């Protein structure tokens, strides 16, 4: 890959105009070299870090992988940049939030500052800025219009208590695990615990270093085959809040790795059916065709690694600035996507327009970009609705979620 970029950028017969090159690498040690040969012409995706971050976030929030896929594929809602309309120049970012009936404003692109996701509400919009929006299509963004009336009496502002310690069970091993464990450590509260179970010698060799790298969670390693029922029965799986099942992509072919993952998930489903304590299951599938088979296991989320990387490369090939947007959304610092209890924002079981939900979230310095209905969690879309119209009346219950962009 590095030789190919070098051949493109340094060839004596290259074109004068800058290239827009999108590529990916696995080893972060090569990122600096890729930057030297690619310069400003290349956008390089760190595959392992990307998938590790998504796995660490998704295991704690059921439905999050659907949100990511919706934003990345070209079938639902995507992220667009739009030149600043004259009607909004000189206005504040808060005013822009309610200016589009069928698009959701999430940030501003300013030449000298770059991408700003969820900036302060009093940020003045300049004529030279561009808005960053979620929309079904760039043609569906439309023009600014009068904001929907807010239903103030149904807005809540419940105090959110501190995060309790969490317990995570990681089943399986591949080269992304060290990054994923460190990413997970950024999200969990102090006093959390994690158990890593794998039959890989490499996992046992690196376990000690991972233990030293964790500040908020205590990591323990235990050797064992993750698709072995006797091994799983000995782990007291229901005692964990989150279960992550990883594909053994380092040692097995994609088909063999997915087969082992599928067997592990089937055992976990039976364990889940026999216990009264719910636990979330997130699994990494290597092949898209196997995801459909795995749905019978009723796992909360499936992360198809290669598909996510391919979709992201396609999106960045359309707009190089999306690389910065995605980096903001997928890292522990900055504004990330969360699915938070709907009653924290609005009165439960009361119909309100989505503009009211946006206002409720904005008062917490968050951006509401959609919602998730718990009753439809087993549907293909897992009950996720992104970028609803501001005028849409939504009725959210105690177990439903508001999808927001927030700092923490």
């Amino acid at each position: 890959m590095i030789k190919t970029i070098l051949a493109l950028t340094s060839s004596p017969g290259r074109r004068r105009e800058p290239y827009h090159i999108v590529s990916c690498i696995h080893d972060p040690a090569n990122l600096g070299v890729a930057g030297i040969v690619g310069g400003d012409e290349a956008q390089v995706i760190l595959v392992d870090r990307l998938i590790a971050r998504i796995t660490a976030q998704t295991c704690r929030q059921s439905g999050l992988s659907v949100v990511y896929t919706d934003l990345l594929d070209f079938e639902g809602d995507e992220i667009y940049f739009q030149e600043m309309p004259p009607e909004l120049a000189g206005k504040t970012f808060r005013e822009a939030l309610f200016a589009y009936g069928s698009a959701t404003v999430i940030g501003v692109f300013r030449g000298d500052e770059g991408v700003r996701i969820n900036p302060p509400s009093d940020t003045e919009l300049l004529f030279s800025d561009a808005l960053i929006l979620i929309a079904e299509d760039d043609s569906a963004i439309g023009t600014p219009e009068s904001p929907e009336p807010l239903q103030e009496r149904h807005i809540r502002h419940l105090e959110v208590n501190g995060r309790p310690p969490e317990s995570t069970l990681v089943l399986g091993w591949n080269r992304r695990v060290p990054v994923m464990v460190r990413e997970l450590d950024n999200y969990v509260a102090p006093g959390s615990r994690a158990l890593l179970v794998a039959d890989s010698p490499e996992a046992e060799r690196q376990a000690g270093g991972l233990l030293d790298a964790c500040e908020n969670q205590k990591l323990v390693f235990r050797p064992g085959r993750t698709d072995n029922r006797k091994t799983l029965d000995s782990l007291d799986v229901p005692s964990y809040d989150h279960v992550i099942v990883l594909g053994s992509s380092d040692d097995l072919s994609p088909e063999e790795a997915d087969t082992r993952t599928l067997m592990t998930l089937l055992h976990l489903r039976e364990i889940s059916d026999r216990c009264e304590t719910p636990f979330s299951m997130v699994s990494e599938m290597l092949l898209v065709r196997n995801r459909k088979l795995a749905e019978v296991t009723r796992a909360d989320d499936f992360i198809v690694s290669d598909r996510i990387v391919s979709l992201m490369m396609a999106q960045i090939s359309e707009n190089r600035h999306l690389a910065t947007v995605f980096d903001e959304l997928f890292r522990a610092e900055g504004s990330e996507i969360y699915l938070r209890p709907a009653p924290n924002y609005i009165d439960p079981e009361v119909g309100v327009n989505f503009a009211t939900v946006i206002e409720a979230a904005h008062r917490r310095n968050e951006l509401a970009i959609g919602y998730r209905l718990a009753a439809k969690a087993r549907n293909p879309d897992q009950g996720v609705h992104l970028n609803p119209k501001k005028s849409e009346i939504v009725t959210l219950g105690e177990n439903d979620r508001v999808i927001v962009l927030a700092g923490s």
Side-chain angles (χ1 to χ4, degrees), residues 92-260:
T92 63
F93 180 72
R94 183 189 186 284
E95 291 173 290
L97 292 180
F98 302 93
Y100 293 91
S102 302
T104 302
V105 178
I106 63 171
V108 178
F109 176 76
R110 184 164 292 172
D112 56 342
E113 299 179 13
V115 168
R116 301 177 67 189
I117 301 297
N118 191 17
S121 61
D122 59 353
T123 299
E124 182 181 354
L125 303 178
L126 307 179
F127 187 79
S128 56
D129 291 342
L131 291 176
I132 306 173
L133 311 95
I134 298 174
E136 185 176 357
D137 187 78
D138 54 357
S139 62
I141 293 175
T143 57
E145 54 192 63
S146 299
E148 289 289 321
L150 302 177
Q151 295 157 282
E152 287 276 353
R153 66 185 183 279
H154 296 305
I155 293 178
R156 285 183 163 192
H157 192 93
L158 299 183
E159 293 296 329
V160 180
N161 298 324
R163 295 174 299 167
E166 302 172 41
S167 55
T168 306
L169 175 61
V170 182
L171 300 173
W173 175 268
N174 57 45
R175 63 179 181 270
R176 290 186 279 273
V177 171
V179 180
M180 186 202 70
V181 169
R182 288 192 287 269
E183 288 292 330
L184 186 61
D185 194 64
N186 292 326
Y187 293 103
V188 298
S192 297
R193 64 187 178 104
L195 173 62
L196 170 60
V197 181
D199 61 346
S200 166
E202 183 66 15
E204 190 165 5
R205 188 182 69 83
Q206 293 201 34
L210 288 175
L211 177 61
D212 295 336
C214 293
E215 296 181 0
N216 295 321
Q217 60 187 345
K218 180 181 179 181
L219 178 69
V220 176
F221 172 77
R222 180 171 169 177
R225 283 269 305 219
T226 60
D227 58 345
N228 182 287
R229 181 54 183 267
K230 185 176 180 180
T231 298
L232 294 175
D233 283 337
S234 69
L235 299 178
D236 190 19
V237 176
S239 69
Y240 291 88
D241 300 311
H242 319 295
V243 178
I244 304 173
V245 183
L246 300 173
S248 302
S249 54
D250 296 358
D251 307 316
L252 303 175
S253 69
E255 194 65 62
E256 291 172 322
D258 280 356
T259 299
R260 180 181 289 194

Side-chain angles (χ1 to χ4, degrees), residues 151-405:
Q151 295 157 282
E152 287 276 353
R153 66 185 183 279
H154 296 305
I155 293 178
R156 285 183 163 192
H157 192 93
L158 299 183
E159 293 296 329
V160 180
N161 298 324
R163 295 174 299 167
E166 302 172 41
S167 55
T168 306
L169 175 61
V170 182
L171 300 173
W173 175 268
N174 57 45
R175 63 179 181 270
R176 290 186 279 273
V177 171
V179 180
M180 186 202 70
V181 169
R182 288 192 287 269
E183 288 292 330
L184 186 61
D185 194 64
N186 292 326
Y187 293 103
V188 298
S192 297
R193 64 187 178 104
L195 173 62
L196 170 60
V197 181
D199 61 346
S200 166
E202 183 66 15
E204 190 165 5
R205 188 182 69 83
Q206 293 201 34
L210 288 175
L211 177 61
D212 295 336
C214 293
E215 296 181 0
N216 295 321
Q217 60 187 345
K218 180 181 179 181
L219 178 69
V220 176
F221 172 77
R222 180 171 169 177
R225 283 269 305 219
T226 60
D227 58 345
N228 182 287
R229 181 54 183 267
K230 185 176 180 180
T231 298
L232 294 175
D233 283 337
S234 69
L235 299 178
D236 190 19
V237 176
S239 69
Y240 291 88
D241 300 311
H242 319 295
V243 178
I244 304 173
V245 183
L246 300 173
S248 302
S249 54
D250 296 358
D251 307 316
L252 303 175
S253 69
E255 194 65 62
E256 291 172 322
D258 280 356
T259 299
R260 180 181 289 194
T261 298
L262 182 58
M263 289 299 299
T264 303
L265 288 171
L266 287 169
H267 286 310
L268 290 172
R269 172 181 168 176
E270 187 181 3
I271 292 172
S272 175
D273 288 344
R274 290 193 293 106
C275 75
E276 297 180 356
T277 306
F279 56 89
S280 68
M281 286 191 292
V282 172
S283 175
E284 178 187 26
M285 303 298 293
L286 303 180
L287 300 175
V288 175
R289 64 176 179 266
N290 290 329
R291 186 196 186 285
K292 200 70 179 175
L293 292 174
E295 287 180 0
V296 71
T297 65
R298 297 203 300 266
D300 295 275
D301 273 300
F302 295 99
I303 300 167
V304 185
S305 308
D306 287 350
R307 181 164 186 256
I308 287 177
V309 174
S310 299
L311 292 173
M312 182 172 289
M313 291 182 69
Q315 290 279 354
I316 296 173
S317 73
E318 293 283 317
N319 183 344
R320 65 168 56 246
H321 299 301
L322 282 174
T324 307
V325 176
F326 294 141
D327 184 62
E328 175 90 1
L329 297 181
F330 293 137
R331 60 190 173 95
E333 304 82 17
S335 292
E336 303 155 77
I337 299 175
Y338 293 92
L339 287 83
R340 291 182 165 163
N344 290 358
Y345 300 88
I346 58 172
D347 291 334
E349 308 299 344
V350 175
V352 299
N353 60 27
F354 193 71
T356 300
V357 180
I358 292 176
E359 174 64 20
H362 186 64
R363 293 179 184 182
R364 297 170 174 269
N365 298 317
E366 302 172 357
L367 296 181
I369 62 173
Y371 59 92
R372 187 194 190 211
L373 300 176
K376 297 184 178 180
R378 296 301 175 189
N379 289 4
D381 62 5
Q382 294 195 29
V384 169
H385 296 264
L386 275 186
N387 183 37
K389 292 183 177 180
K390 306 291 189 300
S391 60
E392 179 180 331
I393 302 300
V394 297
T395 303
L396 303 179
E398 293 286 348
N399 298 318
D400 296 329
R401 294 287 187 270
V402 175
I403 305 170
V404 298
L405 284 171

